[in-house]
Amino acid sequence: MIDLYYWPTPNGHKIVLFLEETGLPYKVVPVNLGAGDQYKPEFLAISPNGRMPVIVDRAPADGGAPISVFESGVILIYLAEKTGRFLPADTRGRFEVLQWLMWQMAGLGPMAGQNHHFAVYAPEKIPYAIDRYVKETNRLYGVLNKRLADRPFIAGEYSIADMVCYPWIVPHERQSQKLEDFPHLKRWFEAIQARPATVRAYEIGKEVNPNASQPVSEDAKKVLSGQTAAVVKD
Ligand SMILES: N[C@@H](CCC(=O)N[C@@H](CS)C(=O)NCC(=O)O)C(=O)O
């Protein structure tokens, strides 16, 4: 029913977490980012930003033509609305979830992404840049830790807000963060890690890209770095 255009990265894992929790039927379409699949014209047609994940729902609720959705946060809102799961229907509960989902999309994801870039991928190690993003990631971990001090999950019950944040905490060592410094975050992290759906989601990631834990190859780095407007030109 759902085609998931996917590669096992933090943003990709978010959607598999949801699909495995709900049991919604789906088919993985691998998008090999290191090989440049994200810039094939047929992929750009459903993902104008040249990024995965993307879904195509072949059986939308309105019974019409297939719907494609890009941006992981929006994909999760779409799937939550489709299934009635992991996003409360009432206004208070719904916006409690959505504000933390947006916090991840605008803060934790991009900042931890820059952290990875300058600490791991940049050919030149720039202390100012590394320090800036390690500190900002640390601040965001502190925000999440405080939020989790008096509730099991970010918005009370397990929701799409947790699913967007969890994959970005998985690489905490690579982000120069110690979970021991954030006891509430650690407890939350371990609870999600132990969910059967989470275990299955990360197994699927290993099947799709058995080299996911290896350093990015030099060829892949060439594809992924220095992109300009030229990559999305017709
Ligand atoms: N805000 C987007 C970000 C998606 C994103 O950056 N995806 C990365 C992998 S995590 C990607 O497709 N990268 C391909 C590239 O950099 O060329 C989302 O959450 O869906």
Side-chain angles (χ1 to χ4, degrees):
M1 190 195 285
I2 303 282
D3 291 346
L4 170 62
Y5 290 78
Y6 161 83
W7 199 240
T9 71
N11 289 320
H13 289 307
K14 293 172 181 175
I15 315 302
V16 186
L17 288 178
F18 184 97
L19 292 167
E20 287 298 322
E21 286 285 347
T22 53
L24 205 57
Y26 70 101
K27 182 184 87 182
V28 167
V29 183
V31 183
N32 185 335
L33 300 178
D37 287 356
Q38 65 274 40
Y39 292 114
K40 289 185 174 160
E42 60 272 26
F43 183 70
L44 286 174
I46 54 170
S47 181
N49 194 35
R51 297 283 182 270
M52 70 88 228
V54 180
I55 59 162
V56 176
D57 182 359
R58 302 201 170 276
D62 65 4
I67 294 181
S68 64
V69 185
F70 68 94
E71 282 294 327
S72 59
V74 184
I75 294 171
L76 287 175
I77 296 169
Y78 179 91
L79 292 174
E81 287 190 357
K82 182 178 175 75
T83 57
R85 305 278 314 275
F86 300 111
L87 178 62
D90 67 288
T91 302
R92 286 170 198 273
R94 186 176 168 78
F95 282 92
E96 200 72 14
V97 169
L98 291 179
Q99 64 191 324
W100 283 96
L101 180 136
M102 293 299 169
W103 173 86
Q104 188 287 324
M105 295 297 295
L108 179 63
M111 295 302 127
Q114 295 302 316
N115 180 331
H116 292 177
H117 177 80
F118 285 108
V120 182
Y121 300 117
E124 188 191 344
K125 299 290 175 249
I126 306 164
Y128 178 84
I130 295 172
D131 187 57
R132 171 176 163 81
Y133 291 109
V134 167
K135 280 192 176 143
E136 178 61 358
T137 307
N138 188 264
R139 188 187 72 81
L140 294 165
Y141 272 49
V143 171
L144 203 46
N145 186 57
K146 190 170 171 188
R147 172 71 184 177
L148 289 163
D150 59 354
R151 67 202 86 212
F153 295 104
I154 294 172
E157 289 184 10
Y158 191 50
S159 74
I160 55 175
D162 302 288
M163 293 179 204
V164 290
C165 290
Y166 174 81
W168 284 96
I169 305 295
V170 171
H172 51 270
E173 286 175 11
R174 191 155 56 139
Q175 297 162 9
S176 302
Q177 307 300 323
K178 289 197 200 83
L179 278 194
E180 288 66 34
D181 295 344
F182 304 98
H184 311 299
L185 181 63
K186 184 170 188 287
R187 186 255 313 139
W188 167 90
F189 179 80
E190 288 170 354
I192 299 176
Q193 189 177 38
R195 292 175 79 93
T198 306
V199 175
R200 287 197 301 277
Y202 280 78
E203 281 306 314
I204 288 163
K206 282 186 212 151
E207 283 163 28
V208 174
N209 180 14
N211 299 323
S213 58
Q214 302 300 314
V216 174
S217 71
E218 289 308 312
D219 282 348
K221 276 187 192 166
K222 276 185 204 140
V223 174
L224 294 167
S225 64
Q227 297 171 359
T228 65
V231 295
V232 293
K233 268 201 180 140
D234 288 331

